[in-house]
Amino acid sequence: MSAELTETRGGRQLNWANWNVAIIAITVLVLIIAAASVDNFGTGQNFGFLVLDLLPIALVALPMTLVIVTGEIDLSVASTLGLSSAVMGYLWNANQPIETIIPICLLLGAVLGAVNGFFVTVLGLPSLAVTIGTLALYRGLAFVVLGDGAVADFPAVYTDWVTGTIAGTPIPNVLLVIVVLAVIFGLILHATPIGRAVFAVGAGEQAARFAGIRPGRLKFWLYVASGVISGLAGVLWTLRYSSARADNGAGLELAVVAAVLLGGVSIFGGKGALPGVIAGVVLLGSLQNALRLSDVSNEALNVVTGVLLIASVLGPNLASKLRRT
């Protein structure tokens, strides 16, 4: 059994994968119950809406998983999304072609992630404090770039693709983006030396250095990846709603962190698996979708997110303590 999924305390081996299995089972159960009890939940049309709602959370959760496994965090992801959207709107207003705008937004995300990485890995500042600061900074820059208004009328060929489905099926086109990136990040985390280094750094940074790993460089590039994917999420968010706004994605970081921790990734680093994170994303999104269909207010949805975030921290730790008793 792989080291990243187990830990030994008091002579007993604790299987971290058990939490992932439990989350996957709970997710399947919630989907079945929602389909049977909530009107229109199981329809093809709602499936499309559900995937589109999950899109930004799922995308940003992929690099966030690797960042948290190293023992760090990135709370600036939603603001990076918002600034990417604002820059997209600004450039579109300036009559720049969309084929030029999209790479610029991805490059912008890389730069914003590199700023986080520099402060955390070069200056040695705590990632929580750094990314809370850049959360405010990047969101403020978004309003400087675009103001309070919105930019619309993006090319129909792009907006139609983002909101459209694969011909003859109810499967949204953007699901392909999620699947491809999930496979890439899953292989990186679980089947490459980079992934082994990620787990090693999260388990013990000093020991990782003795093993020849350079934690600072690894974390820096993970922050860059987080920025790029957040920039991509900003582009897709803008095209989905055909609206570039500085406040796009506000508050998304809490849903992302909740989904990642709910999926079994330890907030202390060193443990986790991407299948559990995907299940956590689906569970969070499905609950929110079912509650919306049941006419539950947005305020109540925030309560659900908060409860799941607390449960995602308490659950694995309580399970480990119970196994040791």
Side-chain angles (χ1 to χ4, degrees):
M1 185 172 292
S2 59
E4 65 267 23
L5 295 179
T6 62
E7 61 179 347
T8 302
R9 293 180 182 175
R12 295 186 181 184
Q13 194 177 52
L14 306 177
N15 189 352
W16 198 257
N18 287 344
W19 180 258
N20 292 274
V21 173
I23 287 299
I24 292 172
I26 292 171
T27 301
V28 172
L29 182 62
V30 167
L31 290 172
I32 292 173
I33 293 174
S37 60
V38 179
D39 290 341
N40 298 319
F41 181 87
T43 64
Q45 183 181 34
N46 187 61
F47 174 73
F49 288 137
L50 175 59
V51 171
L52 286 170
D53 288 342
L54 289 178
L55 174 65
I57 300 175
L59 291 182
V60 178
L62 297 174
M64 182 73 82
T65 298
L66 276 67
V67 170
I68 294 180
V69 169
T70 64
E72 305 294 350
I73 198 165
D74 184 359
L75 296 178
S76 69
V77 287
S79 296
T80 299
L81 183 160
L83 183 51
S84 172
S85 179
V87 169
M88 188 174 179
Y90 176 84
L91 293 175
W92 182 247
N93 261 351
N95 298 315
Q96 295 298 312
I98 195 73
E99 293 79 10
T100 301
I101 293 173
I102 292 176
I104 288 175
C105 290
L106 299 183
L107 179 60
L108 172 65
V111 171
L112 300 179
V115 170
N116 287 334
F118 174 81
F119 283 121
V120 173
T121 65
V122 177
L123 299 185
L125 300 176
S127 58
L128 179 64
V130 166
T131 57
I132 287 177
T134 52
L135 177 155
L137 173 63
Y138 298 164
R139 186 66 69 181
L141 288 174
F143 280 100
V144 170
V145 169
L146 201 60
D148 294 329
V151 176
D153 299 324
F154 290 93
V157 64
Y158 287 92
T159 57
D160 289 348
W161 187 87
V162 170
T163 58
T165 60
I166 298 173
T169 73
I171 300 174
N173 293 321
V174 292
L175 185 59
L176 298 176
V177 179
I178 298 174
V179 170
V180 169
L181 288 176
V183 170
I184 292 172
F185 276 92
L187 289 174
I188 290 172
L189 183 61
H190 298 295
T192 68
I194 295 175
R196 290 190 287 274
V198 167
F199 283 110
V201 169
E205 193 167 315
Q206 192 63 38
R209 284 197 181 93
F210 288 137
I213 297 169
R214 298 175 64 180
R217 184 172 66 175
L218 176 65
K219 291 179 182 180
F220 176 84
W221 287 109
L222 289 181
Y223 276 108
V224 171
S226 180
V228 171
I229 298 300
S230 297
L232 174 62
V235 170
L236 295 176
W237 182 301
T238 302
L239 293 175
R240 178 196 174 180
Y241 295 104
S242 193
S243 176
R245 294 181 55 91
D247 60 353
N248 277 350
L252 186 75
E253 65 279 342
L254 293 181
V256 172
V257 172
V260 172
L261 299 185
L262 194 63
V265 177
S266 172
I267 190 64
F268 304 109
K271 305 177 185 69
L274 207 58
V277 172
I278 298 300
V281 170
V282 175
L283 175 59
L284 179 62
S286 299
L287 285 173
Q288 291 180 338
N289 181 266
L291 291 172
R292 285 194 186 99
L293 290 175
S294 302
D295 295 324
V296 174
S297 67
N298 286 331
E299 290 74 15
L301 294 180
N302 291 333
V303 171
V304 171
T305 301
V307 169
L308 290 177
L309 182 56
I310 295 172
S312 65
V313 176
L314 290 177
N317 290 285
L318 288 177
S320 295
K321 290 180 179 178
L322 288 175
R323 291 191 190 98
R324 292 197 299 269
T325 58

